[in-house]
Amino acid sequence: QGGSVEGVWVFHRHGDRTPSRPLCGEDMIEEEAAFWRTKLPSLDSSDRLNDKFSIDVHESHNEEFLDAKREPYGYLTRIGMQQMLKVGEKYHLRHCARNRVAGSFAGGNENTAFLEQWDVSVFSTNYLRTVMSAQCFLDGLLGNIEEGVDSGVSVKVRPRSNDTLNA
């Protein structure tokens, strides 16, 4: 009662994803991969997220995600994107809208004040599914950012030496 929030740390698993490897026999791999590709988000939706929330991959990763060569296996699905967007919206209601943070951000909402009040730092492992999950979470948290406007918040992929989750 009467206290104030000094900081919030959020640790979250990625959203729904495709299996990490084929689940069928060798003779059905192409058909299975084609099925899973129907569950993936469009490149357009990925580009929109990248415009809003840039990705800063440490040079030790050679600008490549660990799961990049396994498409479609281990990739975030459209359902996974929606799940993470909803989680971000719930955090927005709890930490932004509920506290009546006011201001405007490229479209007349409270996100400028939110970003001025909070030091938002986002870190991810070097998997495309976890980076996209973080971007979708941010999209829900900050909501209403106009298309093509950079929020100023990036998703940082730490150096390999500091990535304790994939050690």
Side-chain angles (χ1 to χ4, degrees):
Q1 292 192 21
S4 63
V5 176
E6 295 294 325
V8 177
W9 286 71
V10 178
F11 294 89
H12 206 287
R13 189 176 190 275
H14 56 76
D16 180 63
R17 66 169 173 84
T18 61
S20 59
R21 59 181 169 71
L23 302 175
C24 64
E26 293 281 326
D27 60 326
M28 297 291 292
I29 288 179
E30 284 307 313
E31 289 89 345
E32 182 186 13
F35 168 78
W36 290 118
R37 283 186 189 100
T38 68
K39 308 298 181 192
L40 301 181
S42 68
L43 290 176
D44 204 34
S45 59
S46 177
D47 289 344
R48 283 194 302 271
L49 284 172
N50 291 337
D51 287 345
K52 292 180 182 182
F53 311 104
S54 61
I55 305 169
D56 181 12
V57 180
H58 189 268
E59 63 188 22
S60 63
H61 295 287
N62 299 322
E63 297 184 22
E64 189 171 278
F65 294 106
L66 294 173
D67 53 356
K69 294 181 179 172
R70 298 190 328 216
E71 188 273 331
Y73 298 102
Y75 275 45
L76 192 69
T77 64
R78 288 187 308 275
I79 290 172
M81 289 181 76
Q82 281 297 328
Q83 289 171 333
M84 295 307 299
L85 180 76
K86 293 289 183 204
V87 171
E89 288 171 347
K90 287 180 181 180
Y91 272 81
H92 173 86
L93 288 173
R94 181 176 180 103
H95 297 289
C96 193
R98 181 190 257 175
N99 295 321
R100 300 287 180 235
V101 176
S104 69
F105 183 87
N109 62 49
E110 65 271 4
N111 297 318
T112 296
F114 181 84
L115 290 172
E116 287 172 359
Q117 286 185 338
W118 296 95
D119 178 17
V120 178
S121 297
V122 181
F123 298 93
S124 174
T125 57
N126 192 27
Y127 290 92
L128 188 55
R129 66 178 169 260
T130 58
V131 169
M132 285 184 71
S133 291
Q135 289 173 316
C136 291
F137 173 85
L138 285 168
D139 204 22
L141 177 70
L142 299 176
N144 297 326
I145 297 173
E146 289 180 10
E147 293 298 319
V149 174
D150 184 346
S151 66
V153 179
S154 66
V155 178
K156 297 166 193 70
V157 178
R158 293 178 166 184
R160 285 180 189 261
S161 60
N162 291 351
D163 187 359
T164 56
L165 294 176
N166 286 310

